[in-house]
Amino acid sequence: MTHDWLAFAKALRSIAQTGQTYTDNKYELERYHQLEALTNQMFAVLGDVPIEKIENLIIPDQGYATPKVDVRGAVFDDSGRVLLVREMKDGLWTLPGGWADINEGPSANVLKEIFEESGHRASQPRLVMLKDRSLHPYAYYSPDHIYKLFYVCTHEGGEFVPNNETDAAAFFDLDDLPPLSEGRTLPVDIHECWAFASSGAPGIYSD
């Protein structure tokens, strides 16, 4: 019998966070803090990394625990090539995107991420799919429960602009993709986005 210990640890962390938000009892609060510390230790063991790295990785959060939202934009040129950016953190390629910012709708977020990371302008974001990251074979584990939103966008032109997250941007043939940062983007993500883009479907309203 196999057990998804990462899912167990995420559930315990969610209980600890929500409990800290709603309890007025100082003894219960102390227990929830202890539970939070214990889940950090579990993440460190599961990821085979020092506890300090886990504590620095997890951004303190408050309130009812909910999934984080990652937005990714698929932009294709007239030849059907896909726009990818190269991440400085691992030197691998991905669809441009990142965490959704508050006070902005997801479609506005993805257009901003495309421009900031690639220097290319895009328009008409159409929601293609929403994936629960934990249900797909992304490369590295995350202590967060993450929803990934994928958009197909229309290319409006541009060129790479140096920034603090990516060091290159280029268009690639779908049958000749570069090494991907598979914690962010899987080959199937790109091919599913292209299947949608080439179908002429209108997409889903997402704001």
Side-chain angles (χ1 to χ4, degrees), residues 16 19 23 44 55 59 80 90 115 128 146 155 189 192 207:
T23 185
E55 291 173 341
I59 300 173
D90 58 14
F115 180 72
V128 178
I146 299 169
H155 186 225
D189 297 332
E192 288 173 341
D207 285 348

Side-chain angles (χ1 to χ4, degrees), residues 75-84 93 95 169-180 186-187 190-191 194:
V75 177
F76 300 95
D77 67 8
D78 293 338
S79 300
R81 299 181 303 165
V82 64
L83 175 65
L84 300 177
W93 295 81
L95 292 173
F171 284 91
F172 294 90
D173 291 324
L174 270 64
D175 58 358
D176 190 24
L177 296 173
L180 294 178
L186 297 173
I190 296 172
H191 288 283
W194 171 245

Side-chain angles (χ1 to χ4, degrees), residues 156-202:
E156 299 291 351
E159 60 183 21
F160 179 70
V161 176
N163 61 85
N164 60 6
E165 294 185 76
T166 63
D167 60 11
F171 284 91
F172 294 90
D173 291 324
L174 270 64
D175 58 358
D176 190 24
L177 296 173
L180 294 178
S181 180
E182 294 195 2
R184 299 176 174 85
T185 298
L186 297 173
V188 66
D189 297 332
I190 296 172
H191 288 283
E192 288 173 341
C193 285
W194 171 245
F196 174 89
S198 58
S199 73

Side-chain angles (χ1 to χ4, degrees), residues 70 72 85-92 94 96-99 101 112-118 160-168 184:
D70 174 54
R72 295 283 156 182
V85 295
R86 188 168 61 195
E87 289 280 344
M88 288 184 180
K89 288 184 177 180
D90 58 14
L92 300 174
T94 179
W99 297 127
D101 293 325
K112 180 184 69 174
E113 289 286 339
I114 291 169
F115 180 72
E116 289 180 349
E117 293 189 354
S118 73
F160 179 70
V161 176
N163 61 85
N164 60 6
E165 294 185 76
T166 63
D167 60 11
R184 299 176 174 85

Side-chain angles (χ1 to χ4, degrees), residues 46-139:
L46 291 168
D48 193 24
V49 295
I51 183 66
E52 294 81 8
K53 184 174 182 179
I54 292 295
E55 291 173 341
N56 291 333
L57 174 66
I58 296 176
I59 300 173
D61 199 1
Q62 295 179 337
Y64 191 88
T66 63
K68 295 176 72 67
V69 177
D70 174 54
V71 295
R72 295 283 156 182
V75 177
F76 300 95
D77 67 8
D78 293 338
S79 300
R81 299 181 303 165
V82 64
L83 175 65
L84 300 177
V85 295
R86 188 168 61 195
E87 289 280 344
M88 288 184 180
K89 288 184 177 180
D90 58 14
L92 300 174
W93 295 81
T94 179
L95 292 173
W99 297 127
D101 293 325
I102 60 172
N103 297 325
E104 278 192 298
S107 60
N109 263 282
V110 77
L111 295 180
K112 180 184 69 174
E113 289 286 339
I114 291 169
F115 180 72
E116 289 180 349
E117 293 189 354
S118 73
H120 288 258
R121 299 179 304 279
S123 65
Q124 298 179 311
R126 289 155 286 164
L127 181 62
V128 178
M129 53 193 172
L130 186 158
K131 291 187 174 183
D132 181 335
R133 188 185 189 279
S134 65
L135 301 180
H136 301 273
Y138 291 95

